[in-house]
Amino acid sequence: TAREAGMQLAIITPSMEELIDNYGVHHNFLEGCRVQAVFGLSDASVAKKFSQRVGTWTETVTRKTRQAKGGTSTTEDTREVDLLPPTALLRFKKDDVLVIAEGHTRVLKQERYYNNRLWHARSRIAPEGWEGRYGRQLPPSPLHHEETDGDEE
């Protein structure tokens, strides 16, 4: 198996429903993933699943009421509240991502590699032994046009 060989697999799917259609309701893909990244959900049932994976906290509400005869009474109610409600997941912005990794949960902002100078520069390095149309250079980036001196013919 992949686990015995020490491999880690990544499942990338546009829809959890697609996994359910192909593998049934009782698949264990989510439980087997050490790192999960969730982008732009639109399905309320999937948002609820991930909200439950993030967890809950116990909220205690104390109420004091005054009685007509001058006395007061105090009541405490506790309830479980989602740390990240499903509605919040459904309202994620385009660059928000929920990352669940080995018991840690974070909501992060995506950073595009081409907006980070270092990452973009590293993306332009050709792998060893790579020869393409441009020799050892990678093709020009379609995202950032390099300025020329006007010496080109």
Side-chain angles (χ1 to χ4, degrees):
T1 65
R3 177 176 281 173
E4 291 170 346
M7 294 188 306
Q8 294 183 11
L9 304 176
I11 299 169
I12 302 170
T13 180
S15 166
M16 291 299 295
E17 292 301 318
E18 200 172 299
L19 283 178
I20 292 169
D21 289 347
N22 289 330
Y23 298 101
V25 178
H26 302 291
H27 65 80
N28 66 346
F29 289 119
L30 288 180
E31 291 76 17
C33 292
R34 291 175 56 194
V35 178
Q36 299 169 21
V38 180
F39 306 87
L41 296 175
S42 59
D43 184 344
S45 64
V46 174
K48 184 173 180 169
K49 282 181 190 177
F50 280 101
S51 174
Q52 290 170 344
R53 291 183 73 79
V54 171
T56 60
W57 64 285
T58 304
E59 178 182 52
T60 303
V61 177
T62 304
R63 292 188 183 108
K64 290 186 178 182
T65 55
R66 294 182 192 198
Q67 298 176 352
K69 296 179 182 177
T72 60
S73 68
T74 304
T75 58
E76 282 191 1
D77 292 327
T78 58
R79 65 181 181 130
E80 294 292 312
V81 179
D82 293 323
L83 288 170
L84 185 61
T87 54
L89 283 167
L90 292 171
R91 284 187 269 127
F92 264 18
K93 294 180 181 153
K94 183 171 90 170
D95 59 346
D96 288 343
V97 58
L98 169 66
V99 177
I100 303 171
E102 298 181 8
H104 301 283
T105 304
R106 298 287 183 270
V107 175
L108 306 170
K109 295 281 184 200
Q110 295 181 57
E111 182 170 359
R112 308 286 183 212
Y113 78 92
Y114 48 82
N115 290 335
N116 181 304
R117 286 189 121 140
L118 176 62
W119 294 350
H120 187 261
R122 287 182 180 172
S123 77
R124 309 301 306 144
I125 300 171
E128 283 298 316
W130 188 85
E131 292 293 330
R133 180 173 148 200
Y134 297 92
R136 285 278 302 136
Q137 288 289 332
L138 290 174
S141 171
L143 302 171
H144 289 289
H145 299 289
E146 296 179 18
E147 294 184 23
T148 60
D149 297 332
D151 297 332
E152 294 182 21
E153 296 180 22

